[in-house]
Amino acid sequence: MAGADDMGGPKVKAEISDHTKVSSGRKLSSPMNPAFITSAPGKVIVYGEHAVVHGKAAMAAAISLRSYLLVTTLSKSQRTISLKFPDIRLNHTWEIDKLPWSIFANPSKKKAYYDLVTSIDPDLVEAMQPYLSTVSPDLSGEKKKIHQAAASAFLYLFLSLGSQAFPGCIYTLRSTLPIGAGLGSSASISVCISSALLLQIRALSGPHPDQPSKEAETQVERINRWAFVGEMCIHGNPSGVDNTVSANGKAVLFKRGDYAKPPKVLPLRNFPELPLLLVNTRQPRSTATEVAKVGALKTALPEVTELILEAIDRVTESAHALITTSGFSHVDASTTQTLGSLMNINHGLLVSLGVSHPRLERIRELVDLVGVGYTKLTGAGGGGSAMSLLKPDVHPEKLKELKTKLDAEDFERFETTLGGDGVGVLWPAVLRGTEVNLADFLSAEGSDGIEELVGSGPHEPDGEWKYWKVAEAG
């Protein structure tokens, strides 16, 4: 997806009037079809990136930065669907009745909402091309590619789960996640789209406080399966870890040996909240390029590369064993030191695979010089983001010193926590007694503005946001 420096800014403000004009004169959501919002978190891979692509385990955890999708239903006479994503300046409308329904509804192609889809149908992709070629025609290069990828994921899911009888709707995305920084922004968006469409076709039950844990688990898995389809549209051959942790929340131990079968996912529902400093290098990178580097290394040096991947797997399993130990306490300084040491080892192994970058190494150097935490790259590497697990009782002046140094070198930083909720729903789109309308949603400025308007974090007091809660087994 787009680079983080493409987000927000004056250009978004300039386009707000264009977005709101689209809806002027239209009757928006009625009491029968109220506006609603879905939300899903980003993620960091705490341990195991790249090894997970080669059948090893990875541990990933949700972070408190999230994406939000507002769905507003139009009047019956308005036979259009619009996808608006002002953070990347994407705005496109399709006529529902002109979309390629016949091929998507063909019995040989049609998938049920409960199916496991493990590949993208090339015939369906080809059928969508005339409807994607008109998306952002004035753009070129990487920006156009980003818009095409987002539109492709949305349209494939809409045509797969919806029908020609679908009502006209406006789907508006906002995100507090830096896009293209290795923090699972595309998976977060895919989870939002998947959950919204499944809710619209009445294929989900809940979420509600009395929902049995097993039933909640089924709903989350249904959302996750279709989110993975969105990820395939964007990335081609994703591991599935990003959408899995975004849908489930908290943390997961994830392993996918056979792409024809569901991944082995062990939810870590008692995963503790841990303080993190996330730092975006602002260095563009391609996940596919970094994955290909490791693949080429494995071809050239199979035995050595396999040993490195196996060592990364041992790091992940060691962290899992510690976190699941009876009496585990994340506030114990020795626990933080052990988890941090494992992060250092994991990063060193990733450097050996050739997927780091000088900007990532500079972040590690700055954190080490100030002495406030343990740092590793997170995600594909080659740029993207680094994560620092902060030491207990870090002196505020030390943290301030680090932030000043990072700002001086044009790094983007986020203070966040691990281990929050997964996919959530605000139905109807009313928070703290006030309806969230389209104009306000589009005009919210930056991450702080979005969170203040629709935030689903711990500061949201009324419990209006609902989540599918799955209890820890045992």
Side-chain angles (χ1 to χ4, degrees):
M1 302 293 285
D5 53 348
D6 288 335
M7 291 185 66
K11 292 184 180 179
V12 173
K13 283 186 180 180
E15 291 195 354
I16 289 167
S17 59
D18 293 334
H19 285 289
T20 53
K21 283 176 186 175
V22 172
S23 62
S24 62
R26 293 182 178 183
K27 181 182 178 183
L28 297 182
S29 302
S30 69
M32 292 297 291
N33 291 293
F36 69 95
I37 305 175
T38 58
S39 174
K43 70 90 188 61
V44 290
I45 298 184
V46 189
Y47 304 100
E49 49 271 273
H50 284 286
V52 71
V53 179
H54 298 271
K56 313 299 184 186
M59 184 184 295
I63 56 177
S64 53
L65 305 175
R66 302 178 71 92
S67 297
Y68 299 89
L69 175 63
L70 172 66
V71 181
T72 46
T73 304
L74 302 175
S75 64
K76 289 184 179 179
S77 62
Q78 299 293 334
R79 299 291 300 146
T80 60
I81 54 165
S82 296
L83 177 63
K84 300 178 184 296
F85 195 174
D87 297 317
I88 61 170
R89 295 181 287 282
L90 170 60
N91 180 17
H92 193 79
T93 298
W94 295 271
E95 294 184 47
I96 294 173
D97 296 323
K98 291 185 178 180
L99 292 171
W101 293 109
S102 58
I103 186 168
F104 273 83
N106 188 303
S108 66
K109 303 290 186 183
K110 182 67 176 176
K111 300 294 184 182
Y113 65 83
Y114 48 78
D115 283 341
L116 173 65
V117 181
T118 58
S119 63
I120 298 297
D121 189 318
D123 294 335
L124 300 183
V125 172
E126 183 179 356
M128 290 197 310
Q129 291 315 302
Y131 307 91
L132 295 174
S133 63
T134 57
V135 173
S136 305
D138 297 334
L139 292 182
S140 61
E142 186 64 21
K143 288 186 177 180
K144 187 176 181 69
K145 182 180 176 182
I146 290 161
H147 284 209
Q148 293 275 315
S152 175
F154 169 77
L155 202 56
Y156 196 99
L157 292 185
F158 181 82
L159 289 165
S160 296
L161 291 169
S163 71
Q164 194 168 350
F166 229 67
C169 291
I170 301 173
Y171 298 86
T172 308
L173 277 159
R174 299 301 308 269
S175 185
T176 65
L177 286 157
I179 300 172
L183 301 178
S185 59
S186 67
S188 172
I189 289 164
S190 292
V191 170
C192 286
I193 294 170
S194 168
S195 55
L197 292 171
L198 287 165
L199 282 165
Q200 285 188 289
I201 65 171
R202 307 292 192 264
L204 296 175
S205 63
H208 55 81
D210 299 325
Q211 188 168 30
S213 179
K214 190 66 179 176
E215 182 181 292
E217 186 175 10
T218 299
Q219 313 314 304
V220 172
E221 176 56 24
R222 191 166 291 164
I223 293 166
N224 187 35
R225 287 182 175 191
W226 283 101
F228 181 63
V229 175
E231 281 283 86
M232 285 192 287
C233 290
I234 295 169
H235 295 298
N237 185 30
S239 69
V241 66
D242 287 13
N243 51 277
T244 298
V245 74
S246 184
N248 283 272
K250 300 300 284 184
V252 297
L253 193 70
F254 179 98
K255 195 170 187 177
R256 192 179 200 119
D258 183 350
Y259 275 76
K261 298 178 182 178
K264 295 178 180 177
V265 179
L266 180 62
L268 305 176
R269 306 200 187 280
N270 291 331
F271 188 89
E273 288 196 1
L274 297 170
L276 276 190
L277 182 66
L278 287 174
V279 184
N280 180 13
T281 63
R282 300 186 189 270
Q283 173 65 38
R285 91 284 183 272
S286 162
T287 298
T289 298
E290 300 307 313
V291 169
K293 279 185 189 177
V294 178
L297 187 66
K298 192 173 182 182
T299 300
L301 299 167
E303 292 185 7
V304 173
T305 305
E306 181 59 32
L307 284 172
I308 296 172
L309 295 172
E310 181 63 31
I312 293 175
D313 194 44
R314 295 290 180 89
V315 168
T316 305
E317 294 292 352
S318 296
H320 174 241
L322 174 64
I323 289 169
T324 55
T325 299
S326 176
F328 168 75
S329 171
H330 70 280
V331 298
D332 188 327
S334 65
T335 295
T336 302
Q337 184 176 2
T338 302
L339 292 174
S341 296
L342 289 170
M343 286 174 61
N344 286 342
I345 294 167
N346 196 162
H347 181 82
L349 293 166
L350 291 167
V351 171
S352 299
L353 292 175
V355 296
S356 189
H357 184 274
R359 292 276 285 173
L360 289 166
E361 296 308 310
R362 179 58 176 159
I363 294 168
R364 274 180 52 82
E365 182 180 21
L366 290 173
V367 176
D368 288 350
L369 284 171
V370 178
V372 298
Y374 308 88
T375 304
K376 65 178 283 291
L377 70 84
T378 181
S385 296
M387 55 177 281
S388 294
L389 176 63
L390 298 177
K391 294 178 179 178
D393 304 319
V394 170
H395 195 282
E397 285 302 314
K398 286 286 187 181
L399 202 53
K400 183 179 179 180
E401 179 186 348
L402 174 61
K403 292 174 183 177
T404 300
K405 291 176 182 292
L406 291 169
D407 292 348
E409 298 191 25
D410 196 33
F411 292 109
E412 184 181 28
R413 53 182 172 78
F414 302 87
E415 290 182 72
T416 184
T417 55
L418 289 176
D421 288 310
V423 58
V425 181
L426 181 66
W427 185 307
V430 177
L431 197 60
R432 297 178 285 274
T434 303
E435 181 180 358
V436 179
N437 64 56
L438 178 58
D440 289 343
F441 191 63
L442 283 165
S443 62
E445 291 190 45
S447 297
D448 290 343
I450 296 168
E451 282 295 329
E452 184 178 350
L453 182 67
V454 296
S456 59
H459 61 279
E460 188 266 298
D462 300 320
E464 290 146 307
W465 277 97
K466 300 294 188 295
Y467 304 90
W468 284 275
K469 297 287 189 179
V470 183
E472 184 75 36

